[in-house]
Amino acid sequence: MARIEIDTKELNERGLEIQKSVKLFNDKLNELFLRVESVPDVTREWVGSSAIKYVNLAKVDKIKYYKLKDDLDIYGKFLCEVSESAETCVNRVRGMFDV
């Protein structure tokens, strides 16, 4: 018979760590893209068509970065859900043998 070992506590902790890191990552992304998008119009550090072109290219990349952030958050939540599901299943099986 196969033996499966899973540390549900560790799995849950890692999922929560990922979710916490995702929140920090989101804050940094917000800061970064606010800064980049303000260059040609607000701070005027770089003006002209090349600055506008750069900002438009950054906006295309912005979608990809936020997609990555969302995917990481989903993965963290998934780990927590798997942890909870496995813990429930293990406790149910243990309960069958405690009678």
Side-chain angles (χ1 to χ4, degrees):
M1 177 181 273
R3 180 180 170 106
I4 300 173
E5 292 186 27
I6 182 171
D7 186 342
T8 56
K9 182 179 177 187
E10 180 80 14
L11 194 60
N12 188 60
E13 288 173 0
R14 297 296 175 230
L16 293 174
E17 285 178 17
I18 290 172
Q19 289 178 300
K20 182 179 176 182
S21 295
V22 164
K23 288 178 183 174
L24 295 173
F25 183 47
N26 185 63
D27 292 343
K28 293 298 181 183
L29 286 176
N30 289 339
E31 290 175 22
L32 172 67
F33 287 106
L34 179 63
R35 177 80 173 97
V36 168
E37 291 170 7
S38 70
V39 168
D41 300 323
V42 179
T43 63
R44 302 189 57 79
E45 297 164 88
W46 180 17
V47 294
S49 61
S50 60
I52 293 169
K53 183 177 179 182
Y54 178 78
V55 169
N56 288 335
L57 289 172
K59 286 180 181 180
V60 171
D61 288 341
K62 179 180 180 177
I63 295 166
K64 296 173 189 174
Y65 283 106
Y66 280 96
K67 172 75 169 108
L68 171 63
K69 186 256 321 170
D70 291 341
D71 289 346
L72 288 171
D73 192 45
I74 289 168
Y75 182 65
K77 289 176 183 174
F78 172 75
L79 291 179
C80 292
E81 290 170 5
V82 167
S83 168
E84 183 178 327
S85 177
E87 187 69 28
T88 300
C89 183
V90 167
N91 288 337
R92 189 176 325 127
V93 170
R94 282 183 183 147
M96 293 168 61
F97 295 103
D98 287 343
V99 177

